Amino acid sequence: MTAQRPPAVLYTAAFQVLTGLIWLVQAADMPSGFMRWFLVWFGASHFVTAYGLWQMSEWGRQRALQIAVLDVLGVLQVLLFGQISPYGALLRLGMPLYSISVLRDRNLRQRFN
């Protein structure tokens, strides 16, 4: 089954796992119980998205696209308010833009069930 998964899907799923781990680490540093649970839930949703991509499910592909668009919007908001340099924004936009371009590919989309 692994041979049927394109490398782009594996990269995107690995990025979702890494992002989920980052949210879980940030949740451990939160003093507030509500924010801690929110970040744990957000990190768990990244793990579920990675599982959906691993299973080549259409819902996983759509969820990964939604997360990538939200990541792009978040970086643009920070860039517009001058809280990050343009070079830092380019680094943070790399994987979300890659995810959007790869997961919207017509040939790859047909492989999802």
Side-chain angles (χ1 to χ4, degrees):
M1 183 81 178
T2 305
Q4 296 176 357
R5 292 184 188 94
V9 173
L10 296 177
Y11 295 150
T12 307
F15 179 71
Q16 293 297 322
V17 169
L18 178 65
T19 308
L21 287 173
I22 290 170
W23 285 115
L24 289 179
V25 168
Q26 287 185 354
D29 293 338
M30 285 293 148
S32 165
F34 174 74
M35 281 303 294
R36 182 176 295 152
W37 283 108
F38 177 74
L39 292 179
V40 167
W41 172 80
F42 202 61
S45 73
H46 280 279
F47 289 128
V48 170
T49 303
Y51 177 74
L53 286 171
W54 179 260
Q55 294 296 322
M56 296 290 290
S57 300
E58 177 64 21
W59 63 266
R61 186 188 72 82
Q62 290 176 359
R63 177 71 179 140
L65 281 172
Q66 290 170 352
I67 290 174
V69 168
L70 289 176
D71 287 343
V72 167
L73 292 176
V75 171
L76 290 179
Q77 176 201 8
V78 173
L79 179 65
L80 290 177
F81 289 115
Q83 298 172 350
I84 191 173
S85 72
Y87 300 113
L90 284 176
L91 288 174
R92 289 179 62 184
L93 284 174
M95 193 61 190
L97 290 177
Y98 174 77
S99 298
I100 291 171
S101 65
V102 165
L103 294 177
R104 292 203 56 199
D105 182 39
R106 189 172 307 169
N107 296 330
L108 183 66
R109 200 176 346 172
Q110 292 173 353
R111 297 179 74 177
F112 283 86
N113 53 10

